């Protein structure tokens, strides 16, 4: 046995459990609690019915036990058992998983229209709880259509594109050749597909801007590329996040080599020791001149939100050169020009960021650009606002602040920075991953932060994986980034992230709406069945009727309420957080408030309905009595109250206008109308199978009037402030860590929620009970057949083996008991002779 347990633990370590989402955990625990309550109520119903029948029949009325009446007694017991099972079926919320699935599947389908391709279903729900978004700049916050708008060439700062005729010939040649060859040949400018449209940019957008700059200088880069095909290139130092530059080495026909470089202006400029002056001559670049260039050219460009790129070259002679020594090769450069590239902020982004901020979501920009450029773009977007206490850091500064003397990252140091950090410039993918991990692991806030991250590069994979929700760019993103992501933005637009937040919050609210509706029906149906059964020895709602009610409140209601479209109002509140209960105090007020109205109406009709409508009473009817008008009115009114209460359930935050936006959800309208039509058919034509009889027009109007009363009652409930109802408690919290035994916490360390532990304990008790009953039956059979009962006792499994069985069987499907002998009986008298 020990070996088996050790094997199981080994398997668990090799294959860790899949993490549950926050919503799944809360729903599992709530469903277990409701199921237990329903089981207790159904058991009490059966016990009370059986005891009442036995005491009333055999003790009070002194009816003797007649063997020929046994089938009649069994019919009553079966009837009581069916009532108990019906109460259990109505109480158990088996529609919860369906509601979650429908809501998520519907949301995922609709999110496709909002340019969100969801790869992992639970990411949709998680996004609703997001508290932080770490976004890229280029293409996400900006349009990713770059254009050179300013340039410093030949000692002169041009605020617009310079006239090529005013530039020295050799400077222009170096500039054109450097741009043409020192870029990916897959990057090109193509004519517009539409007449009068903008040229199409294919490939890297920064390189496209430089190629477009060449065309604006009235030169053709393709001619140079034809003269220098890729195979003629001697060596290429490709761009990466570490060097932040790209260089291409060409071999000169007359000997020697020529290298062209481009990259981040302040990085490439530091490696320049010369510059081309206004005459096109090479002159030394002194340190103070370099500082002036940064202060007078690069910083003004960056402050206007321009991306600054420095273009440079270097000549090599035929002497042996170690081309693998980058530090030596990429030094002593001659600066050709510094250009400012504009990437306009998407017009819709500032409003989207404002929505995020009002929704309690902090937006941070993580970019590889110059800090001044990043700060300017962040200001335009609304990430930085005047008067805010915020931090803008470069990657180097960030790393210095978060690392100790040994170079190790400390969480305490990160916690001092990230709450105020809004812009991280000149950052590497590693910096992004460090920031995301630091925010997620932080405990300085009351709630654990839920972080969403955007990424497009291969190196962004770790950050996308670490984030609670990873967004990959559908247009600019690499396959690795898409594979590591949870959601793909098909338009690379930040506003699509905001729509994902709306849909995520809508999923949570849809489940809460369904719970509010279902629990109201649960409370009323169980109390009516239980009370009615105890007082009249019969449930006012018959088994088939209860199953129809169960269908309304589970399948149809989940479909109707889980397909509510999101509204902008969802972004006007803060995130719920991981510990927010599913059922708020306002929802509790609605559940119990509507339950009180429905119970008063049902019990009034049940005990005084025959007098109100001047009809025969349906109470205390014989076993095989035909359906009565009395109980049909009770059933019809009950269903119509649920139907109108479904409209009330559309609002869970105390809103008065429950009809707001109802026609925007055709599925809801169709289901409510369809349910009403089916109810008419059941009542008018259902007959004995549904225990119904036809009702008159007057009776139907009364039923509809009492059903519509739930709408008016809902308005009265909305006037009562929830703050005054101190006795109401929230429900639907996830399992807290302190509730979990230490050994299970270690065993299931990968799992967020542990509510299934409740189910496992229930299964153990279930199997123990079945085994004991089976053992007792074996003993009885042994006595009847005259064999030894010791063999039967030996077959009783140990508790450990029962536990082992539970771990291998998920849920018991069916159990068959067979008796050794069966006796057939014949009914010899009518029920009236057996039961007075």
């Amino acid at each position: 046995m020990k070996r088996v347990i050790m094997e199981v633990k080994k398997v668990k370590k090799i294959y860790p459990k899949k993490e549950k989402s926050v919503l799944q955990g809360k729903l599992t625990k709530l469903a277990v609690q409701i199921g237990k309550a329903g089981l207790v109520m159904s058991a009490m119903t059966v016990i009370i019915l059986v005891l009442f029948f036995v005491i009333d029949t055999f003790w009070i009325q002194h009816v003797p036990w007649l063997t020929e009446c046994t089938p009649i007694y069994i019919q009553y017991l079966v009837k009581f058992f069916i009532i108990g099972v019906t109460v259990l079926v109505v109480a158990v919320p088996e529609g919860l998983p369906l509601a979650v699935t429908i809501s998520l599947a519907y949301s995922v389908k609709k999110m496709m229209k909002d340019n969100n391709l969801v790869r992992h279903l639970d990411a949709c729900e998680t996004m609703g709880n997001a508290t932080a978004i770490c976004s890229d700049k280029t293409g996400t916050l900006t349009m990713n259509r770059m254009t050179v708008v300013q340039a410093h060439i030949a000692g002169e700062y041009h605020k617009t594109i310079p006239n090529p005729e005013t530039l020295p010939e050799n400077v222009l040649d170096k500039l054109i050749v450097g741009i043409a060859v020192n870029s990916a040949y897959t990057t090109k400018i193509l004519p517009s597909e539409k007449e009068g449209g903008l040229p199409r940019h294919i490939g890297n957008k920064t390189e496209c801007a430089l190629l477009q700059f060449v065309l604006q200088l009235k030169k053709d880069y393709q001619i140079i590329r034809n003269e220098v095909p890729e195979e003629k290139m001697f060596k290429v130092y490709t761009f990466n996040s570490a060097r932040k530059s790209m260089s291409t080495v060409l071999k000169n026909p007359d000997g020697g080599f020529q290298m062209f470089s481009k990259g981040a202006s302040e990085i490439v400029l530091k490696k320049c020791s010369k510059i081309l002056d206004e005459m096109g001559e090479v002159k030394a670049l002194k340190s103070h001149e370099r500082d002036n260039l940064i202060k007078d050219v690069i910083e003004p460009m960056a402050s206007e939100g321009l991306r600054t790129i420095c273009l440079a070259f270097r000549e090599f002679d035929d002497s042996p050169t170690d081309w693998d020594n980058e530090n030596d090769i990429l030094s002593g450069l001659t600066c050709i020009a510094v250009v400012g590239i504009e990437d306009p902020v998407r017009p819709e982004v500032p409003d989207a960021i404002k929505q995020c901020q009002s929704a309690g979501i902090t937006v941070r920009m993580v970019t590889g650009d110059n800090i001044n450029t990043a700060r300017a773009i962040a200001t335009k977007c609304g990430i930085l606002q005047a008067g805010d206490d915020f931090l803008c850091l470069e990657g180097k500064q960030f790393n210095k602040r978060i690392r100790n003397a040994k170079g190790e990252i400390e969480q305490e140091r990160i916690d001092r920075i990230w709450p105020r950090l809004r812009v991280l410039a000149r950052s590497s993918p590693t910096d992004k991953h460090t920031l995301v991990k630091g925010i997620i692991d932080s405990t300085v806030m009351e709630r654990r932060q839920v972080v969403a991250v955007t990424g497009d590069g291969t190196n962004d994979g770790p950050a996308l994986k670490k984030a609670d929700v990873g967004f990959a760019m559908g247009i600019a993103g690499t396959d690795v980034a898409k594979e590591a992501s949870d959601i793909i933005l098909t338009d690379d637009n930040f506003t699509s992230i905001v729509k994902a937040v709306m849909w995520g919050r809508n999923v949570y609210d849809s489940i809460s709406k369904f719970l509010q509706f279902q629990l109201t029906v649960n409370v009323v149906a169980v109390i009516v069945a239980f009370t009615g059964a105890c007082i009249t020895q019969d449930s006012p709602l018959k088994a088939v009727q209860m199953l129809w009610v169960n269908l309304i409140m589970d399948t149809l209601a989940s479909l109707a309420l889980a397909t509510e479209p999101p509204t902008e109002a969802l972004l006007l509140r803060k995130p719920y957080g991981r510990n927010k209960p599913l059922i708020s105090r306002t929802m509790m007020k609605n559940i119990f408030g509507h339950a009180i109205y429905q119970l008063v109406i049902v019990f009034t009709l049940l005990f005084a309905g025959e007098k109100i409508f001047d009809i025969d009473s349906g109470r205390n009817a014989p076993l095989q009595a035909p359906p009565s008008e009395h109980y049909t009115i009770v059933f019809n009114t009950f269903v119509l109250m649920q139907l109108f209460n479904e409209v009330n359930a559309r609002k869970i935050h105390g809103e008065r206008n429950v009809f707001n936006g109802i026609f925007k959800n055709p599925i809801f309208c169709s289901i409510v109308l369809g349910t009403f039509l089916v109810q008419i058919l059941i009542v008018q034509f259902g007959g004995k199978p549904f225990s119904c009889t036809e009702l008159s027009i007057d009776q139907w109007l009364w039923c509809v009037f009492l059903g519509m009363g739930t709408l008016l009652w809902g308005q009265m409930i909305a006037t009562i402030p929830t703050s005054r109802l101190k006795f109401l408690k929230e429900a639907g919290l996830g399992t807290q860590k302190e509730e979990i035994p230490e050994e299970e916490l270690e065993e299931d360390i990968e799992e967020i929620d542990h509510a299934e532990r409740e189910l496992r304990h229930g299964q153990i008790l279930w199997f123990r009970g079945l085994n004991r009953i089976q053992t007792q039956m074996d003993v009885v059979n042994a006595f009847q057949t005259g064999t030894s009962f010791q063999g039967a006792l030996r077959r009783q499994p140990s508790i450990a083996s029962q536990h082992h069985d539970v771990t291998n069987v998920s849920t018991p499907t069916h159990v068959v008991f067979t008796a050794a002998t069966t006796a057939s009986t014949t009914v010899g008298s009518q029920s009236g002779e057996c039961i007075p």
Side-chain angles (χ1 to χ4, degrees), residues 273-298:
S273 58
K274 302 167 190 173
I275 190 169
L276 294 177
D277 63 11
E278 58 275 4
M279 302 302 296
E281 300 293 330
V282 177
K283 74 167 190 176
L285 181 63
K286 297 175 183 177
S287 59
H288 73 274
E289 291 176 326
R290 185 186 293 110
D291 293 341
N292 289 339
L293 202 57
I294 292 171
K295 183 181 176 182
D296 299 334
V297 177
I298 294 174

Side-chain angles (χ1 to χ4, degrees), residues 727-741:
F727 60 91
L728 290 177
K729 302 295 182 184
E730 298 170 324
L733 279 165
T735 305
Q736 304 298 313
K737 273 197 173 180
E738 54 268 20
E739 297 174 28
I740 306 159

Side-chain angles (χ1 to χ4, degrees), residues 549-568:
V549 170
N550 199 46
L551 181 68
I552 294 173
M553 76 179 191
D554 277 351
T555 311
L556 299 178
S558 62
L559 191 60
L561 294 170
T563 54
E564 286 278 311
T567 62
E568 297 286 335

Side-chain angles (χ1 to χ4, degrees), residues 125-146:
E125 167 233 322
T126 307
M127 199 58 209
N129 287 319
T131 56
I133 298 174
C134 296
S135 174
D136 288 339
K137 177 184 77 69
T138 305
T140 309
L141 299 174
T142 60
M143 295 177 70
N144 203 19
R145 185 173 181 87
M146 301 193 184

Side-chain angles (χ1 to χ4, degrees), residues 278-353:
E278 58 275 4
M279 302 302 296
E281 300 293 330
V282 177
K283 74 167 190 176
L285 181 63
K286 297 175 183 177
S287 59
H288 73 274
E289 291 176 326
R290 185 186 293 110
D291 293 341
N292 289 339
L293 202 57
I294 292 171
K295 183 181 176 182
D296 299 334
V297 177
I298 294 174
E299 287 183 1
M301 284 183 180
S303 65
E304 293 179 36
L306 304 183
R307 171 178 284 185
T308 55
I309 302 291
C310 182
L311 302 160
F313 76 99
R314 180 181 174 182
E315 302 280 358
F316 294 88
D317 55 27
D318 285 328
S319 59
T321 306
D322 182 6
W323 296 105
D324 292 328
N325 189 347
E326 283 188 42
N327 290 332
D328 287 345
I329 299 298
L330 299 177
S331 62
L333 304 179
T334 302
C335 177
I336 304 170
V338 175
V339 297
I341 300 174
E342 182 182 45
D343 186 11
V345 172
R346 291 180 185 267
E348 64 272 20
V349 162
D351 288 338
I353 287 176

Side-chain angles (χ1 to χ4, degrees), residues 651-669:
K651 304 298 177 185
I652 57 173
H653 299 297
E655 301 93 330
R656 285 191 172 277
N657 186 3
V658 293
F659 293 100
N660 184 31
I662 193 169
F663 295 112
K664 291 180 181 178
N665 187 2
I667 296 176
F668 181 90
C669 299

